[in-house]
Amino acid sequence: MTSESQFLTGPDDRMPAPPPGCPAHGIGPGGLHRLHEAPDLRALYEQLREKYGPVAPVLLHDDVPMWVVLGHAENLHMVRTPSHFTRDSRVWTPLKDGMVKPDHPLMPHIAWQPICSHAEGEEHKRLRAAVTAAMVTIDHRSLRRTIGRATQLLVNRFCETGRADLVDQFAEHLPMAVMCDVLGMPEEYNDRIVQAARDMLKGTQTAIASNEYIMGCLRRLVARRRARPDEDFTSHLVEHPAGLSDDEVAQHLRLVLIASYEATANLLANTLRRVLTDPGFRAQLNGGQMTVPQAVEQSLWDEPPFSTILGYFAKQETELGGQRIRAGDGLLLGIAPANVDPRLRPDPTADMMGNRSHLAFSGGPHECPGQDIGRAIADVGVDKLLMRLTDVQLDCAEEELRWTESIASQHLVELPVRFTPQPQQDVMSQPSHTPMPVPQPRAAWEISTVRAESEPPAEAPAPQGAGSPARQPWPAPPDLVPPGVAPSAGTGEAGEHGRPRGVRQRFLRWWRGY
């Protein structure tokens, strides 16, 4: 990757890892940092930026060499230059040389699959066109109603208790409930599929079985839609002229489901945590200086759902960020460090309201096609939750909150809250068309009890003759008529003798409605 003095990857260069707590812990061959052993990746990224600049050499599991791209401009250049960089891991030198074993912990993220996010050229266009076309068919008004109903159903599960964990009981369930409905398999949504998705993403010993459970759900769905298409995402993907095979459809459904689930679950949890722990942030939201979509966008800047994406691979020798990149080198798309690049954002705490130039959804040909769905789930979910639980508060010290961190993401473990218990809501009831009762007139307006000095005294109404209209005026509220003054029955803007009516009389006529 750069000079051999920086990347010593031969078998003779390996050394036993220092024990935790040792100053050398997390340092591998050539003095390079092992990302998976870093106790604080954000701090490490800034340390690497200071030492190497916008592109830095690091090590993955088993001391596999990698570049991490820290600069915003450098990341954009990488994702927007498919002639130099690809998502196809089959060109990655450590993989071709056997350094990356089949049981490598990151193999699920590295292994090439026949999906649009790994393809390029004409194959990428064919697969991406099918996914994009299916995305376009989603009715976003109907989607927001679905999100609203799912939110209320989830809140109904715990609203009467006065306490909840907004990660386990809300953020990890809402995206799965919505995405199962979008894909056309709402009957598959349950606790089991949520647990399987979480287990698969954690890379546990049962991750393979969890992945098979999810793939089983998706294969059954594909078979149903081949036989009986409907108006859902899967049906449009199955029927697209690109002619995807059943396996291609199932793999893309898995990609859409899992990527949307993990990203949106993290986005929901991060946004809610910010609301509950940052008084200034919540005050802006409550005071109207910030909308919920703007709060979500700020979270995408400060705590992107994916901190890095693995990976991009150099197709030819090139230069990036002042570093020599060799053909076959691997690179991490550094979303979190790019979002705080000092050249773009000198003050990392600055308000980025209205600015969408973050890399939370990547960019270039492989930019996330479902980002608007993720934004909608977060926007509606956060808004509906806060409207239901208006006094929700964090139920532990902020310092007690814990995260599980990997190279790819930082996941909040739990978010305990307390609130005033609320009754359940009937989320299936239709809007009522019953007219609202007419409010009673206000009883005490100061201006109505004060007679202007220039106003002539009110005169008693003239008796109605035989030709007078039969309609009787509504009497004014007692406190709007000064003592001793009878309500007027005139029908014009002038009084009985043609004199103009005063302000009070005109106001009383308007109040009575004639």
Side-chain angles (χ1 to χ4, degrees), residues 59-82:
L59 298 172
L60 302 181
H61 302 73
D62 298 338
D63 289 341
V64 175
M66 199 77 174
W67 295 102
V68 58
V69 186
L70 307 170
H72 188 272
E74 288 73 19
N75 274 292
L76 279 180
H77 176 76
M78 180 175 67
V79 301
R80 292 175 176 175
T81 315

Side-chain angles (χ1 to χ4, degrees), residues 188 211-221:
E188 298 284 4
N211 181 65
E212 281 304 311
Y213 174 82
I214 291 175
M215 288 304 299
C217 296
L218 297 176
R219 291 189 187 103
R220 291 193 296 272
L221 173 62

Side-chain angles (χ1 to χ4, degrees), residues 41-252:
L41 279 173
R42 286 178 178 265
L44 176 59
Y45 290 146
E46 293 312 305
Q47 181 181 345
L48 293 172
R49 196 196 309 271
E50 184 71 23
K51 182 176 181 180
Y52 296 103
V55 179
V58 292
L59 298 172
L60 302 181
H61 302 73
D62 298 338
D63 289 341
V64 175
M66 199 77 174
W67 295 102
V68 58
V69 186
L70 307 170
H72 188 272
E74 288 73 19
N75 274 292
L76 279 180
H77 176 76
M78 180 175 67
V79 301
R80 292 175 176 175
T81 315
S83 60
H84 288 175
F85 303 98
T86 178
R87 294 292 313 276
D88 188 343
S89 63
R90 291 176 295 184
V91 306
W92 190 24
T93 300
L95 185 64
K96 292 194 299 183
D97 292 348
M99 187 176 183
V100 179
K101 307 297 182 184
D103 61 349
H104 192 279
L106 297 179
M107 185 56 77
H109 303 278
I110 298 168
W112 182 86
Q113 301 173 51
I115 53 178
C116 61
S117 60
H118 288 174
E120 60 178 57
E122 292 303 315
E123 183 66 4
H124 173 262
K125 290 179 181 178
R126 180 181 77 90
L127 298 174
R128 176 81 177 200
V131 173
T132 303
M135 287 285 181
V136 170
T137 64
I138 296 173
D139 180 354
H140 280 263
R141 290 188 178 182
S142 175
L143 174 66
R144 297 180 80 87
R145 288 194 293 271
T146 298
I147 300 167
R149 285 196 300 270
T151 298
Q152 302 295 14
L153 284 169
L154 288 172
V155 175
N156 277 351
R157 293 183 180 183
F158 55 76
C159 64
E160 295 176 311
T161 67
R163 278 183 162 79
D165 173 7
L166 293 185
V167 171
D168 180 61
Q169 296 176 268
F170 185 71
E172 291 186 349
H173 278 262
L174 181 60
M176 185 61 74
V178 173
M179 290 310 300
C180 283
D181 188 86
V182 167
L183 297 188
M185 55 174 198
E187 72 284 352
E188 298 284 4
Y189 165 67
N190 51 36
D191 291 343
R192 176 71 181 92
I193 196 168
V194 172
Q195 292 165 1
R198 290 267 11 110
D199 184 57
M200 186 179 67
L201 290 164
K202 290 176 183 176
T204 64
Q205 292 182 347
T206 57
I208 294 177
S210 295
N211 181 65
E212 281 304 311
Y213 174 82
I214 291 175
M215 288 304 299
C217 296
L218 297 176
R219 291 189 187 103
R220 291 193 296 272
L221 173 62
V222 174
R224 288 198 303 271
R225 291 300 176 257
R226 285 285 187 199
R228 190 175 62 257
D230 204 339
E231 290 299 319
D232 52 43
F233 180 90
T234 302
S235 298
H236 289 290
L237 199 58
V238 165
E239 295 185 313
H240 191 270
L244 274 65
S245 67
D246 284 1
D247 185 57
E248 287 177 328
V249 173
Q251 290 294 342
H252 280 89

Side-chain angles (χ1 to χ4, degrees), residues 3 53 61 72 179 201 223 226 269 293 299 313 318 416 434 452 499 510:
S3 63
H61 302 73
H72 188 272
M179 290 310 300
L201 290 164
R226 285 285 187 199
S299 182
F313 308 94
T318 186
T434 305
R499 293 193 299 269
W510 168 81

